[in-house]
Amino acid sequence: MEEETGKEKIMKEKTKKSVSYKDAGVDIDTKGCFTSNIYSKMQTTFDGRVIENPGGFGGLFALNSRLKKYRQPVLVSSSDGVGTKLKIAFMMNKHDTIGIDLVAMCVNDVVVLGAEPLFFLDYLASSKIIPEVLHEVIDGIVEGCRQAGCSLIGGETPEMPGFYQKGEYDIAGFVVGVVEKDEIINGKNITPGDVVLGLGSNGIHSNGYSLVRKIFFEEAGMKPSRSLRKYGLKTTLGEEILKPTRIYVKAILKILNKYKNKTVIKGMAHITGGGLLENIPRILPEGCSVKIDKTRWDIPAIFKIMQDIGNINEREMFRVFNMGIGMALIVSALDVKKIMNDLNAAGESVSVIGEVTEGERSVQVI
């Protein structure tokens, strides 16, 4: 067999097909068009503090216009995602609420410190940019920012073929807020005799979905389209478990602004992973515990359905899920009535769910 001459090798290289980034699965043109279209949606969340910088490498936010009212402003930040709740969105091909969850998980975490959320950024990665799907996700993020009163000033949308399953994506969010240094709410003033208020959740919110999926899809063999009418609900399973997380920011900030310089809210806990049992102790000082009375509020039916189908013990339910309480506030017994009235006026469902007792930073459910 004759060996190729140098000239033949060169000719073969010239006829060889050129490989592009698009051949590798990344379409720069599609991404460019997609990210350009996002900016107009972001603008709907802007206020006078945002310095517009379309196409820039970072988002710009002017502190001086709002922070003049602060003597010692402290920036508060948080980062989070929505976990395997994304799997439900994929199963239902419904992506317009998952962005609300993303914002909620971040902004609810900073408001418990008394902070006003200022701006938000997102990270939205996928195996392939499918504009109609990712625009739905962005719509949810924009809506979440509106509900929280913060600006969406930037983000990243990488296309990562071979890393994510086809048709799937992952999201993460980042928020920055501000609070006066001597008005940070950290639970240090909580004492036995204080009262625990619970703000109603919108169902499961964004935690415990590995167990949710195991119960409904593996154990019970149910499909997202399954009607829950036999359980007294008017929704399908998918609709019920995809309900977005409630955002409590505006209601809580109204209270804090109304009673400025007065410690009416001593501590707050966003009830996320770990449920009431794990989250409330995070704000309790030494010598304090909490006793919760589960008869004080209506536990949403979805939790009872899961408990029955999965044969889950009660402690596990309260340790994994919010059980109908998305946010817990600890206030003085003297302030309970006025705080409840203010929260009701702000559109929140609020109940007295327990009290602070002597003990070592634990929660007892009775």
Side-chain angles (χ1 to χ4, degrees):
M1 184 174 180
E2 294 183 1
E3 291 184 3
E4 289 182 324
T5 66
K7 185 176 181 179
E8 287 172 331
K9 288 181 180 180
I10 293 172
M11 290 300 295
K12 183 177 286 187
E13 289 295 326
K14 285 184 177 180
T15 58
K16 189 176 181 180
K17 182 182 176 182
S18 175
V19 179
S20 68
Y21 207 7
K22 188 173 183 178
D23 293 324
V26 178
D27 191 335
I28 296 176
D29 293 332
T30 299
K31 179 178 180 179
C33 181
F34 171 71
T35 52
S36 295
N37 291 336
I38 288 175
Y39 193 75
S40 61
K41 296 182 179 184
M42 293 168 56
Q43 286 178 306
T44 65
T45 70
F46 291 176
D47 59 21
R49 298 170 290 179
V50 177
I51 299 173
E52 296 204 34
N53 184 33
F57 288 93
L60 301 174
F61 191 92
L63 294 176
N64 60 348
S65 62
R66 179 59 66 94
L67 298 193
K68 288 179 181 178
K69 68 176 184 177
Y70 293 91
R71 291 171 286 102
Q72 291 182 295
V74 175
L75 295 179
V76 183
S77 60
S78 180
S79 173
D80 214 331
V82 298
T84 60
K85 187 174 186 177
L86 287 171
K87 290 287 188 181
I88 313 301
F90 302 152
M91 293 172 73
M92 296 182 64
N93 193 27
K94 179 174 168 49
H95 311 276
D96 58 340
T97 60
I98 209 74
I100 299 176
D101 288 300
L102 181 65
V103 176
M105 294 300 289
C106 295
V107 297
N108 285 341
D109 276 357
V110 299
V111 80
V112 299
L113 288 161
E116 169 201 0
L118 296 175
F119 58 86
F120 189 86
L121 300 99
D122 65 81
Y123 176 85
L124 174 53
S126 62
S127 59
K128 180 177 177 60
I129 288 178
I130 303 175
E132 58 269 28
V133 170
L134 299 192
H135 272 298
E136 283 192 39
V137 179
I138 296 295
D139 288 342
I141 295 173
V142 168
E143 174 59 25
C145 287
R146 288 198 194 108
Q147 291 183 25
C150 64
S151 299
L152 175 61
I153 66 169
E156 174 66 11
T157 54
E159 196 171 26
M160 302 166 65
F163 193 83
Y164 294 101
Q165 295 290 328
K166 183 179 179 180
E168 296 192 355
Y169 56 82
D170 194 15
I171 53 177
F174 313 86
V175 70
V176 172
V178 63
V179 63
E180 189 73 73
K181 185 176 181 179
D182 59 10
E183 294 176 8
I184 294 172
I185 298 173
N186 55 19
K188 66 180 182 181
N189 296 319
I190 293 172
T191 60
D194 287 338
V195 174
V196 184
L197 303 180
L199 302 189
S201 72
N202 195 27
I204 303 171
H205 281 186
S206 298
N207 297 100
Y209 274 81
S210 294
L211 182 55
V212 171
R213 292 184 298 112
K214 181 173 181 61
I215 291 169
F216 288 122
F217 304 138
E218 294 183 30
E219 300 293 329
M222 297 169 70
K223 295 185 181 299
S225 58
R226 171 77 173 270
S227 171
L228 296 179
R229 287 187 179 277
K230 67 176 286 188
Y231 299 103
L233 295 175
K234 297 179 180 180
T235 58
T236 65
L237 173 62
E239 289 169 343
E240 184 64 31
I241 62 180
L242 201 58
K243 285 181 177 178
T245 306
R246 282 187 58 76
I247 293 175
Y248 302 99
V249 171
K250 289 185 176 179
I252 290 172
L253 290 181
K254 280 184 180 179
I255 303 262
L256 298 179
N257 290 328
K258 180 176 180 178
Y259 303 102
K260 199 72 174 172
N261 302 320
K262 297 180 182 178
T263 310
V264 292
I265 300 178
K266 295 186 175 185
M268 288 183 277
H270 183 200
I271 310 304
T272 54
L276 291 161
L277 299 187
E278 301 288 338
N279 284 290
I280 292 178
R282 295 167 64 178
I283 60 170
L284 296 177
E286 293 296 330
C288 289
S289 287
V290 161
K291 184 177 292 185
I292 298 291
D293 183 348
K294 63 179 181 291
T295 67
R296 296 284 189 89
W297 75 95
D298 293 326
I299 297 175
I302 190 64
F303 296 109
K304 299 174 183 178
I305 295 168
M306 284 194 291
Q307 187 172 10
D308 289 343
I309 293 176
N311 191 29
I312 306 170
N313 68 59
E314 184 176 82
R315 178 174 174 78
E316 183 72 356
M317 290 295 296
F318 276 88
R319 195 167 68 95
V320 176
F321 302 112
N322 68 63
M323 300 302 285
I325 301 297
M327 184 78 75
L329 279 59
I330 297 181
V331 304
S332 167
L334 296 175
D335 294 325
V336 169
K337 187 174 181 179
K338 67 181 181 183
I339 297 301
M340 290 186 71
N341 288 339
D342 289 335
L343 287 168
N344 285 327
E348 295 297 335
S349 171
V350 57
S351 306
V352 174
I353 65 171
E355 63 177 350
V356 180
T357 61
E358 293 184 358
E360 287 308 314
R361 306 183 70 199
S362 64
V363 173
Q364 178 187 6
V365 178
I366 59 173

